[in-house]
């Protein structure tokens, strides 16, 4: 009986494992095509000065324009992209597109922040890619920021470390993303050439409840201040959360209260006619003849 039981369970497990493996494989092959065709778009979310509400930067967040499933969030594809070594190629597109955004909108004078994963640093020569993109788009290095996870920085030894140093030398801003969720040895974080950090959204919900989260938030805000760096509280959804973040000494924030990630057209209107691809009739208009 035990044997039969075990066997049927194995079969169930085996079947779902097979399903997942098949799903992964099909997503991976679709991604390969999507990366080659650049079937992605960036949405931009404001980062603001918490006191004045002034816009200081945008974070660029990638979405996949899937032919059948619609617009997909990074959770659906970034890991698979990373495991199948497609991320450096997608990452280059993201950098070019985000710098293009800065170049296309002289009325925007802030910075644009781009997420980079550990796989893009070191072996993939991120500093060379960034240098090339800045040159091609004519955007100054001070306009670009890179968000790296704590683990990304901690793992950065040898060539990766040198890559980060070169990025800092270029004048690009480096910030730690999702701060507080990794297993950070503070000393290694402090040794990395980062000038800012983003307090993870998981802390924001607990701000103001008088518990340990509050004390951690106060301590990290003081750390940011003492390092003369840039601190952003992620995931601010309510006025109460904003008030608490300010009271804790935080200077910058991001979250639905200030704005959700939105496509470029929604922020700045439709692109000028000269920016539309040549030889194509505007949408909804029949070609003549
Ligand atoms: P992240 O860098 O921590 O980005 C913040 C995420 O929180 C975004 O999710 C954003 O839409 C969401 N968010 C912002 N404000 C709020 C809020 O007030 N409430 C709630 N509930 N959520 C909020 P998204 O766009 O799904 O991105 C998820 C993650 O995917 C990002 O986390 C980042 O780690 C990764 N990612 C996004 N774009 C890229 C990219 O171009 N390259 C790489 N390597 N990773 C990316
Ligand atoms: Mg980020
Ligand atoms: Mg984050
Ligand atoms: Mg996050």
């Amino acid at each position: 009986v035990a044997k039969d039981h075990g066997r049927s369970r194995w079969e169930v497990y085996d079947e779902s494992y097979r399903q997942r493996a098949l799903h992964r494989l099909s997503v991976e092959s679709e991604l390969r095509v999507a990366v080659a065709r650049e079937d992605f778009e960036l949405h931009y979310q404001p980062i603001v000065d918490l006191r004045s509400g002034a816009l200081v930067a945008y974070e660029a967040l990638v979405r996949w324009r899937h032919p059948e499933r619609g617009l997909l969030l990074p959770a659906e594809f970034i890991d698979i992209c990373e495991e199948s070594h497609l991320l450096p190629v997608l990452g280059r597109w993201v950098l070019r597109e985000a710098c293009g955004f800065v170049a296309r909108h002289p009325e925007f004078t802030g910075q644009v922040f781009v997420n980079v994963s550990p796989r893009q640093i070191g072996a993939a020569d991120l500093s060379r890619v960034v240098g090339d993109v800045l040159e091609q788009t004519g955007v100054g290095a001070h306009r670009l920021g890179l968000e790296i996870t704590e683990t990304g920085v901690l793992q950065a030894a040898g060539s990766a470390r040198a890559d980060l140093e070169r990025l800092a030398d270029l004048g690009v801003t480096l910030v730690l993303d999702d701060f507080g969720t990794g297993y950070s040895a503070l000393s290694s974080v402090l040794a990395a050439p980062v000038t800012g950090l983003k307090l993870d959204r998981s802390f924001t919900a607990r701000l103001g409840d008088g518990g340990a989260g509050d004390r951690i938030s106060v301590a990290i805000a003081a750390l940011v201040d003492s390092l003369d760096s840039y601190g952003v509280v992620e995931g601010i959804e309510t006025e109460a959360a904003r008030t608490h973040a300010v009271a804790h000494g935080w200077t910058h924030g991001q979250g639905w209260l200030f704005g959700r990630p939105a496509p470029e057209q929604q922020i700045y209107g439709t692109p000028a006619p000269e920016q539309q691809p040549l030889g194509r009739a505007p949408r909804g208009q029949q070609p003549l003849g």
Side-chain angles (χ1 to χ4, degrees):
V1 174
K3 196 179 166 195
D4 282 346
H5 192 75
R7 172 118 147 250
S8 67
R9 262 211 271 180
W10 168 254
E11 278 163 6
V12 169
Y13 167 75
D14 194 40
E15 192 45 39
S16 77
Y17 175 81
R18 244 175 58 86
Q19 295 284 334
R20 266 184 291 138
L22 282 174
H23 174 73
R24 230 208 82 118
L25 268 179
S26 83
V27 173
E28 188 179 322
S29 67
E30 287 176 342
L31 264 175
R32 229 167 263 290
V33 175
V35 167
R37 294 178 17 173
E38 305 181 342
D39 281 341
F40 297 89
E41 60 185 71
L42 295 185
H43 286 193
Y44 299 89
Q45 188 180 29
I47 296 174
V48 305
D49 179 303
L50 278 177
R51 287 170 195 278
S52 67
L55 173 76
V56 299
Y58 281 111
E59 176 176 5
L61 297 155
V62 70
R63 274 90 181 93
W64 176 9
R65 251 187 243 135
H66 192 280
E68 285 112 37
R69 296 161 66 204
L71 215 53
L72 302 183
L73 293 171
E76 301 249 17
F77 63 91
I78 282 289
D79 286 352
I80 299 178
C81 213
E82 179 149 14
E83 286 157 21
S84 45
H85 308 285
L86 292 166
L87 204 55
V89 184
L90 176 61
R92 196 177 312 136
W93 179 85
V94 170
L95 279 164
R96 241 190 294 123
E97 186 62 19
C99 289
F101 173 88
V102 170
R104 283 189 291 275
H105 302 289
E107 65 272 49
F108 171 64
T109 54
Q111 282 183 299
V112 68
F113 281 87
V114 168
N115 293 282
V116 296
S117 99
R119 286 275 183 104
Q120 293 172 257
I121 306 166
D125 217 356
L126 186 63
S127 53
R128 190 183 48 74
V129 174
V130 165
D132 289 349
V133 169
L134 292 174
E135 199 180 300
Q136 285 157 13
T137 55
V139 168
H142 65 286
R143 305 292 302 282
L144 179 66
L146 301 176
E147 303 193 358
I148 309 164
T149 53
E150 273 174 85
T151 15
V153 169
L154 293 181
Q155 284 166 359
S159 67
R161 190 49 183 267
D163 206 11
L164 288 180
E165 302 284 355
R166 278 195 300 274
L167 283 163
D169 289 344
L170 275 177
V172 171
T173 305
L174 301 178
V175 305
L176 289 174
D177 204 356
D178 304 339
F179 190 81
T181 56
Y183 300 91
S184 44
L186 265 182
S187 54
S188 350
V189 170
L190 298 183
V194 293
T195 53
L197 57 84
K198 301 183 78 174
L199 186 67
D200 192 68
R201 180 148 57 86
S202 58
F203 290 98
T204 317
R206 288 186 242 136
L207 279 188
D209 68 358
D214 276 11
R215 294 195 292 278
I216 291 170
S217 161
V218 172
I220 297 177
L223 174 75
V224 171
D225 191 47
S226 72
L227 295 173
D228 209 9
S229 55
Y230 184 98
V232 181
V233 178
E234 299 185 321
I236 297 187
E237 296 182 5
T238 62
E239 184 50 42
R242 188 194 70 84
T243 309
H244 285 298
V246 170
H248 283 82
W250 290 93
T251 53
H252 294 85
Q254 178 179 2
W256 295 347
L257 180 69
F258 313 111
R260 299 209 180 205
E264 179 171 350
Q265 288 189 339
Q266 203 171 305
I267 300 173
Y268 288 112
T270 47
E274 63 267 24
Q275 283 167 352
Q276 282 174 355
L278 292 172
R280 251 197 238 168
R283 217 170 275 248
Q285 210 171 301
Q286 290 299 314
L288 295 174

